[in-house]
Amino acid sequence: YATDNGMWMFHRGADAAKRFKAIHMVEDTARGVRSIHAGPRGSAWLGTDRFGLRVIEPRRFERVEMPDTTTYEEVVWVHGVDDSTAIVVGQGARVAYVVQQGADPVLLEPAGDPLTKVESATLAVDGVSWLAPRGGIARYVDGTIEPCVALPGPASAIVRAEDGSIWAGESDRLVEVLADGTPGRVIEGLARPIRNAIPYPGGFLVRAGRLVLRVDTASAEARTFHVPPAEPRALADAGDGAVWITTYGGGLVRVQPDGRQEVWTSADGLPDDHLGWVGPMVGPGDLQMLALNSNRGLALVSLSSLDASSKGELEQLDAWLLPTPETNGPSGCLLGGSQASS
């Protein structure tokens, strides 16, 4: 489990009494893990603040030497292209490299326009990697960057709508990216900055500023989506059209496709009401769980207990608080099995 406070590893026990044990911090990650990618054969690729790119094998931990242009060895994004290849972005010089396991890093050359200088990699859809350059968004195709929509700054969110269209968030607006890379529909006047967006029936739920907005792509309208009286911190796909929303002080919210909200707080057994990043995890015995950054450490909640609670069949959630430091920084990444979320 990777956080601003380092990379933490834990072993899963065979029974409920020993589900999680032997937690320890991975060497040289105390200055923060910025991104994580699940590599082949159970490996994990870590982008760190001061220690560059690290690769963790099941029994080995190595440092990948990056060129000097990645100032201070800040690797801010590791974007998986396939099982053994990743795009690695260095913050200092705003450069990107293609790294294949066991090979030297190769500079990812922009295709013509200097606005294709990569800031981060943000989304993979149908085998295409969408990147956020200094101005607009771009596609990674056959080893080169193809510029698409030019924006005043890098896209702060890239998301695919229900109809398959790709949208980029920038400042206080969403811009559709057409198949030829040019802009299509534009939805303006949203709160700024747009932090992330999740597909939702009819359009998106967007976290912008201190608000959650429901955006209708057909009418180009946005309205405030009211959540518990606390600042929303993260949005994540909850499956079947539902969306998770974490809040800072108001607990966890699940929004159903029809707009119905389910709310859980510490009164229901949630380990903490001050939450950040949220993502799925497979626990012992294939137990489906939700992982949550919190002020008290890494919190894990059984999804089946959340479902039972929402039906009134359970008073207290099945939840665990792992003995890690506060994990509620802006980044939080989970590696469970062969899947990674960020």
Side-chain angles (χ1 to χ4, degrees), residues 171-201:
S171 186
D172 62 349
R173 63 179 184 155
L174 286 167
V175 181
E176 181 186 16
V177 184
L178 301 179
D180 62 359
T182 59
R185 292 169 287 177
V186 178
I187 301 175
E188 297 184 289
L190 308 179
R192 68 176 68 188
I194 292 175
R195 300 183 185 278
N196 67 319
I198 292 289
Y200 192 70

Side-chain angles (χ1 to χ4, degrees), residues 32 70 102 118 190 211 213 238 262 305:
T70 51
V118 174
L190 308 179
L211 301 174
L213 304 174
E262 302 160 297
S305 74

Side-chain angles (χ1 to χ4, degrees), residues 20 39 42 69 105 133 152 169 171 176 185 199 206 208 218 222 239 263 266-267 279 282 285 342:
F20 305 100
T69 48
S171 186
E176 181 186 16
R185 292 169 287 177
V206 178
V263 182
S266 54
V282 178
S342 63

Side-chain angles (χ1 to χ4, degrees), residues 246-305:
T246 61
T247 71
Y248 196 75
L252 175 67
V253 182
R254 181 167 60 186
V255 182
Q256 296 294 349
D258 60 4
R260 179 170 53 92
Q261 295 185 26
E262 302 160 297
V263 182
W264 294 273
T265 68
S266 54
D268 304 301
L270 200 66
D272 193 2
D273 291 329
H274 296 80
L275 305 174
W277 175 88
V278 56
M281 176 183 171
V282 178
D286 294 329
L287 177 66
Q288 301 297 314
M289 309 185 75
L290 200 64
L292 297 153
N293 279 3
S294 85
N295 277 8
R296 299 181 62 202
L298 171 60
L300 302 174
V301 184
S302 160
L303 283 175
S304 62
S305 74

